[in-house]
Amino acid sequence: MPLHVDLVITFRATKQTSLSKQQIREDSRKAEQQYTRLIDTLTKGGLRAVGRRGESLGHLLVLVSCPSSHVENLTRRERQSDFLSGLPIKILGSEAEHIPLSSADHVRLVYDYVSSIPFDGGLGIVPGSSDWDLVESIMALHDREFNDAWIRSWTLRHVASVQLAEIRKQFGDSVALYFAFLSSYTKALVFPATLGFTFYFLGTPYSPLYSSLVFIWSVVFVEWWRVRERILSIQFGTQGTFRVEKRRADYKLGFPWWKRELRILASIPVLFLFAGTLFAMLTGIFFLEAFVTQLYTGPGHQYISFSPTILFVALIPQFLKLWQIFAVRLTAWENHAHHSSYDRSLTLKTFALSALVAYLGLGLSAFVYVPFGEGVMHVMQSMLFKSAKTTEGSPGYNATVSDGTSVKIAPGPSEGLWVVNDLNAKHKLNPGRLKDQMFAYTVTNQAVNTFVEVGLPFILRALKSFRNGKKNTSTPGTPNEKNGVKKRVIFEDEKEKGGLAERQFLDTVREEVSLPEYETFEDYSEMVTQFGYVAVWSSIWPLAPVMALLNNFLELRSDAFKMTVHNRRPIPTRTDTIGPWLDALTFISWLSALTNSALVYLFCPRSQVNCSVTPSVHISQLDKVQQQLFTGGDEGLSATKELLITVLLITFAASHGYILLRAVVRHLIEKMFWKGSKEVEEQEKIDREIKNKFLQGFLVEDMRRSQETGPITGEERVSDAQLVDSDTVSSFWGNDEGLDEISRISKEV
């Protein structure tokens, strides 16, 4: 890097393009005042700051550098705060000043100093706040040499290895913790992948043994990671960092805790409202795709089958974006004091609906389409053909609907548009729908996600470059120039002032500024959703863990490539946990117990010994329901009622089994991996040494004070002894009767 720049602050003088001249003058005056205040705030705070032009008119880049002496003061202040807050400290006193500061810690200290509120000792420059509404973002620059070396180190031989120490030094604790989780999860997938491969080729469908082992694996992994992240927090020195977390700029002081809890509770009905609406939309699209499009045989039926996909693409992403806006506003309204609690609340709100989109299709197929598909198809026929019933004797043809009655379907438009015959409608059902869906989710979707993360940004940047090149071919004075689209080569003054090296550096800065910010949310969401496919639904298709394992071997490298090439450098943050994602994993492992037990009960063939206590009986309760429910009579309703009650009892027992299993597994893992572990013992040893040194410092201080006051004189000692003797003689403690009593016993004898 030609110049030492710690941070880049992006400043937008105006946010709108088509404005009146008066509005442009007012915006320019406001931008000039805020920009001047920004430079003054940074300079008075002991930082070096200079502004350079960005990509377009009114876009400014403020380059910020922190002198080494100021960084030392920030480091000393943070370590003192850590010690007073009880965070693990390995070295105390002057020795700590000689510990080299990593690149991530350097960037983090300067960023926290710039963006923290004055109450926490910062400058209070918060992008998007009311005081700094023209400040778009604060970012750090990539270390290109490190990125290139890191990407090249991901060879086929070391594709699954993760250099946590190097990642943490460059990108901070949160990114290192994500890669630690991804690496651990990938290695843990070896067990279910081996099981799935074995049971797919050698086992039986919906095997109770496979489902039980995958469920146990999910519980063990979640509880093991709960301990693993605590051990990593000791290694990183971040255990308990929530105690020193800076406050949010939007936090309102004096806000009572109970009012925040009430607001969180008030957000739950809004979440349920959006979840219910999303459920209705997804269910409607599901029935349209699974039943209606299968019954339609009229003109353009080969194109009608694409309508559910078009509706999904057109409605669901927009609905999720709308919910994201509401979720952000609700979370801000809750007035969280710290970023960790704010991010936790927002993550849970966002992931709840994302998980609904990911899993609802499988749930509807497993518990509606497969067991009751034929009956639902009959109901859909009845609804579609209800308006086509004609009076007896009118021209037409007979058809049987779900209530068993024979009706006449009028000729003409209805004939040839829909499948009327029940037998033909039954053949429209897809018995392999569940496996097809699992293949799409675990293979096709993951391949598409990899392309979107790695390949698509190259295409979009190429199109943007081509489009900007076309626009910049216009002569000066054209509308393109008015819109602020200028080519960077016109900045000839940069070449005159700083030379070619400075120009190349600024081009690199502008290139990185144009990249999107990196957030771990998308990566965590992808992996947690995949964990759900493996733990909850892999009984449908046991090869799902194999596909997940193969994908994650590539995911390790693709995430690293995406973060270093297609995104801005992540701002390092200190954390000791993956936060709400651990709660999501715990919920999914509980859901695995319920779903796997229900799937095995419903679909495991009763002819197998391991699926029925009476294997000679080849008919299950589900078979009875399929035979009787839609043929009329009370037997079908009673069979359905019995089936539902049995499934509820099985899932209820599985839920309690999960609670018991989790308690046992957590106890064993705590004993095996936490208590008495090398990291814990080493940290306890260091804590004792630090406390001893701290106490020795007090003893030295006491000796110094005693030397300053001088020794006690003889007269002082005599007077003190006389006072003690006089008090002792006259006190109760000077009258000892023990020896007298013993001698009296001898005389008695």
Side-chain angles (χ1 to χ4, degrees):
M1 189 179 295
L3 299 174
H4 176 71
V5 175
D6 294 318
L7 298 174
V8 177
I9 301 177
T10 60
F11 187 92
R12 181 73 63 178
T14 179
K15 296 184 178 181
Q16 301 180 10
T17 55
S18 57
L19 297 173
S20 63
K21 293 183 179 180
Q22 181 65 24
Q23 187 65 38
I24 292 176
R25 293 192 186 96
E26 293 179 359
D27 288 350
S28 299
R29 190 180 305 109
K30 174 185 175 181
E32 181 180 355
Q33 295 174 354
Q34 191 170 138
Y35 177 79
T36 303
R37 181 160 53 90
L38 174 63
I39 297 297
D40 291 342
T41 302
L42 294 171
T43 305
K44 292 178 182 179
L47 307 177
R48 289 192 292 266
V50 62
R52 292 301 180 94
R53 283 171 286 196
E55 287 286 341
S56 58
L57 180 64
H59 187 222
L60 299 175
L61 307 178
V62 180
L63 310 180
V64 180
S65 177
C66 185
S68 57
S69 59
H70 201 49
V71 174
E72 292 176 359
N73 293 333
L74 295 175
T75 304
R76 191 180 302 109
R77 185 175 69 177
E78 181 184 75
R79 288 173 178 170
Q80 291 175 357
S81 175
D82 291 349
F83 178 76
L84 294 176
S85 301
L87 268 68
I89 304 294
K90 295 185 177 181
I91 300 178
L92 188 66
S94 59
E95 299 178 3
E97 298 179 359
H98 302 289
I99 300 177
L101 201 64
S102 67
S103 175
D105 288 336
H106 183 102
V107 172
R108 178 179 55 79
L109 286 171
V110 179
Y111 177 83
D112 287 345
Y113 175 63
V114 171
S115 60
S116 298
I117 60 177
F119 180 84
D120 290 327
L123 301 180
I125 302 175
V126 181
S129 61
S130 57
D131 294 334
W132 304 102
D133 58 324
L134 300 181
V135 175
E136 289 185 327
S137 63
I138 303 176
M139 55 170 287
L141 298 177
H142 278 292
D143 186 344
R144 297 299 180 93
E145 295 181 1
F146 173 85
N147 292 348
D148 294 340
W150 187 35
I151 294 298
R152 286 196 301 268
S153 67
W154 292 79
T155 60
L156 290 177
R157 180 180 301 178
H158 303 92
V159 69
S161 63
V162 177
Q163 304 171 359
L164 285 184
E166 298 300 322
I167 296 175
R168 180 173 175 266
K169 290 179 182 178
Q170 188 67 23
F171 301 109
D173 302 316
S174 60
V175 174
L177 201 59
Y178 165 71
F179 277 94
F181 169 77
L182 179 57
S183 176
S184 301
Y185 170 55
T186 302
K187 294 175 182 177
L189 278 173
V190 173
F191 177 75
T194 305
L195 283 178
F197 188 84
T198 303
F199 275 86
Y200 182 79
F201 292 102
L202 303 177
T204 56
Y206 299 98
S207 169
L209 179 59
Y210 172 80
S211 300
S212 301
L213 290 176
V214 169
F215 159 62
I216 294 172
W217 166 82
S218 67
V219 176
V220 171
F221 171 73
V222 172
E223 296 305 320
W224 175 83
W225 174 256
R226 195 184 303 275
V227 173
R228 175 61 179 165
E229 71 174 12
R230 286 157 59 188
I231 294 177
L232 288 174
S233 68
I234 293 179
Q235 294 177 356
F236 294 168
T238 58
Q239 189 178 29
T241 50
F242 63 90
R243 302 191 190 103
V244 294
E245 190 176 358
K246 303 294 190 296
R247 294 183 181 179
R248 296 175 59 246
D250 297 332
Y251 173 67
K252 299 177 182 178
L253 295 174
F255 197 78
W257 65 268
W258 56 267
K259 186 176 292 187
R260 182 182 304 108
E261 297 298 325
L262 288 178
R263 290 189 175 185
I264 294 175
L265 289 176
S267 302
I268 295 178
V270 183
L271 172 63
F272 284 160
L273 175 62
F274 273 85
T277 305
L278 181 62
F279 180 89
M281 294 170 61
L282 291 172
T283 304
I285 294 174
F286 172 83
F287 277 92
L288 176 64
E289 184 268 334
F291 300 105
V292 178
T293 58
Q294 301 300 319
L295 293 174
Y296 180 76
T297 58
H301 66 275
Q302 65 271 25
Y303 304 109
I304 294 296
S305 60
F306 294 104
S307 58
T309 304
I310 296 174
L311 286 175
F312 184 92
V313 174
L315 296 179
I316 302 304
Q318 301 302 321
F319 185 82
L320 292 178
K321 288 181 181 179
L322 178 63
W323 165 242
Q324 183 68 20
I325 296 174
F326 273 86
V328 170
R329 293 181 178 177
L330 285 173
T331 309
W333 177 64
E334 292 167 0
N335 192 33
H336 293 273
H338 303 103
H339 287 284
S340 60
S341 59
Y342 175 87
D343 293 339
R344 183 187 190 89
S345 180
L346 181 60
T347 298
L348 291 176
K349 291 185 180 70
T350 306
F351 182 73
L353 266 65
S354 299
L356 188 63
V357 174
Y359 301 141
L360 183 60
L362 283 169
L364 291 173
S365 295
F367 302 116
V368 176
Y369 182 88
V370 175
F372 310 113
E374 183 179 353
V376 175
M377 188 75 80
H378 293 166
V379 172
M380 298 299 297
Q381 283 182 296
S382 177
M383 294 174 60
L384 291 171
F385 306 145
K386 186 176 181 180
S387 59
K389 291 184 179 181
T390 60
T391 59
E392 187 70 25
S394 63
Y397 56 90
N398 293 327
T400 303
V401 293
S402 61
D403 57 3
T405 60
S406 178
V407 299
K408 277 187 173 291
I409 305 300
S414 296
E415 184 176 0
L417 295 180
W418 305 96
V419 176
V420 182
N421 185 273
D422 292 343
L423 185 60
N424 293 337
K426 181 179 180 180
H427 292 321
K428 292 289 185 177
L429 296 174
N430 180 14
R433 178 182 177 86
L434 273 174
K435 293 182 180 180
D436 293 343
Q437 283 183 290
M438 283 296 296
F439 181 86
Y441 289 138
T442 58
V443 178
T444 307
N445 283 7
Q446 291 186 148
V448 171
N449 288 338
T450 301
F451 171 75
V452 170
E453 290 179 353
V454 178
L456 185 61
F458 283 116
I459 299 175
L460 294 179
R461 282 206 294 270
L463 292 175
K464 180 181 179 182
S465 178
F466 176 76
R467 186 171 59 252
N468 290 342
K470 296 274 289 185
K471 289 182 179 180
N472 282 283
T473 56
S474 57
T475 57
T478 59
N480 286 334
E481 187 177 355
K482 292 180 181 180
N483 290 334
V485 181
K486 291 188 176 183
K487 202 166 184 176
R488 292 198 301 266
V489 294
I490 67 171
F491 297 160
E492 293 296 336
D493 55 340
E494 293 177 359
K495 183 176 180 180
E496 296 174 358
K497 292 180 180 180
L500 182 60
E502 180 178 330
R503 181 178 180 81
Q504 292 177 346
F505 170 72
L506 292 175
D507 286 343
T508 302
V509 173
R510 296 187 184 102
E511 180 183 349
E512 293 190 21
V513 168
S514 64
L515 299 175
E517 296 182 0
Y518 173 78
E519 295 182 357
T520 57
F521 174 85
E522 293 296 334
D523 293 332
Y524 272 122
S525 179
E526 182 181 354
M527 290 298 101
V528 173
T529 302
Q530 184 197 86
F531 176 80
Y533 288 135
V534 173
V536 180
W537 303 105
S538 64
S539 296
I540 299 170
W541 192 52
L543 287 182
V546 181
M547 299 298 108
L549 179 62
L550 295 177
N551 173 81
N552 287 6
F553 275 121
L554 300 177
E555 189 75 19
L556 286 164
R557 182 163 186 167
S558 64
D559 285 345
F561 185 84
K562 175 186 68 175
M563 184 177 62
T564 55
V565 177
H566 296 320
N567 292 94
R568 296 178 180 178
R569 178 178 178 177
I571 296 296
T573 56
R574 292 205 294 178
T575 183
D576 59 352
T577 177
I578 62 175
W581 299 110
L582 185 57
D583 298 331
L585 291 171
T586 303
F587 174 79
I588 289 175
S589 63
W590 170 77
L591 188 63
S592 173
L594 276 61
T595 306
N596 278 291
S597 60
L599 289 174
V600 169
Y601 174 75
L602 289 175
F603 303 123
C604 186
R606 291 305 184 268
S607 58
Q608 299 177 16
V609 177
N610 58 356
C611 290
S612 177
V613 295
T614 57
S616 59
V617 181
H618 291 183
I619 185 170
S620 65
Q621 196 67 29
L622 179 60
D623 296 331
K624 294 180 181 179
V625 171
Q626 292 176 337
Q627 294 175 5
Q628 301 173 5
L629 178 60
F630 297 98
T631 59
D634 296 335
E635 294 182 358
L637 295 177
S638 62
T640 304
K641 182 178 180 181
E642 182 179 352
L643 175 67
L644 294 177
I645 292 176
T646 306
V647 170
L648 289 176
L649 291 176
I650 290 175
T651 54
F652 182 77
S655 177
H656 284 70
Y658 162 79
I659 296 173
L660 179 61
L661 177 64
R662 187 184 66 173
V664 173
V665 170
R666 180 174 296 183
H667 175 75
L668 293 177
I669 289 180
E670 287 277 344
K671 293 290 185 181
M672 295 170 59
F673 297 100
W674 176 252
K675 295 182 179 179
S677 64
K678 180 181 66 175
E679 290 80 7
V680 174
E681 291 181 351
E682 182 180 355
Q683 185 59 44
E684 291 176 352
K685 179 181 177 181
I686 293 175
D687 288 342
R688 286 193 297 268
E689 292 176 355
I690 294 294
K691 292 175 182 178
N692 288 332
K693 289 183 179 180
F694 191 72
L695 291 176
Q696 289 175 4
F698 277 110
L699 294 176
V700 171
E701 181 67 18
D702 292 340
M703 293 177 62
R704 185 185 63 79
R705 290 179 179 178
S706 64
Q707 291 176 357
E708 291 177 355
T709 56
I712 299 177
T713 61
E715 295 179 357
E716 292 175 346
R717 290 196 186 98
V718 171
S719 60
D720 290 342
Q722 289 175 351
L723 290 174
V724 172
D725 290 342
S726 61
D727 292 338
T728 302
V729 171
S730 61
S731 67
F732 169 81
W733 304 103
N735 185 16
D736 188 273
E737 297 178 351
L739 294 177
D740 294 339
E741 184 66 17
I742 293 173
S743 61
R744 192 168 67 85
I745 294 174
S746 300
K747 292 178 180 179
E748 295 263 346
V749 174

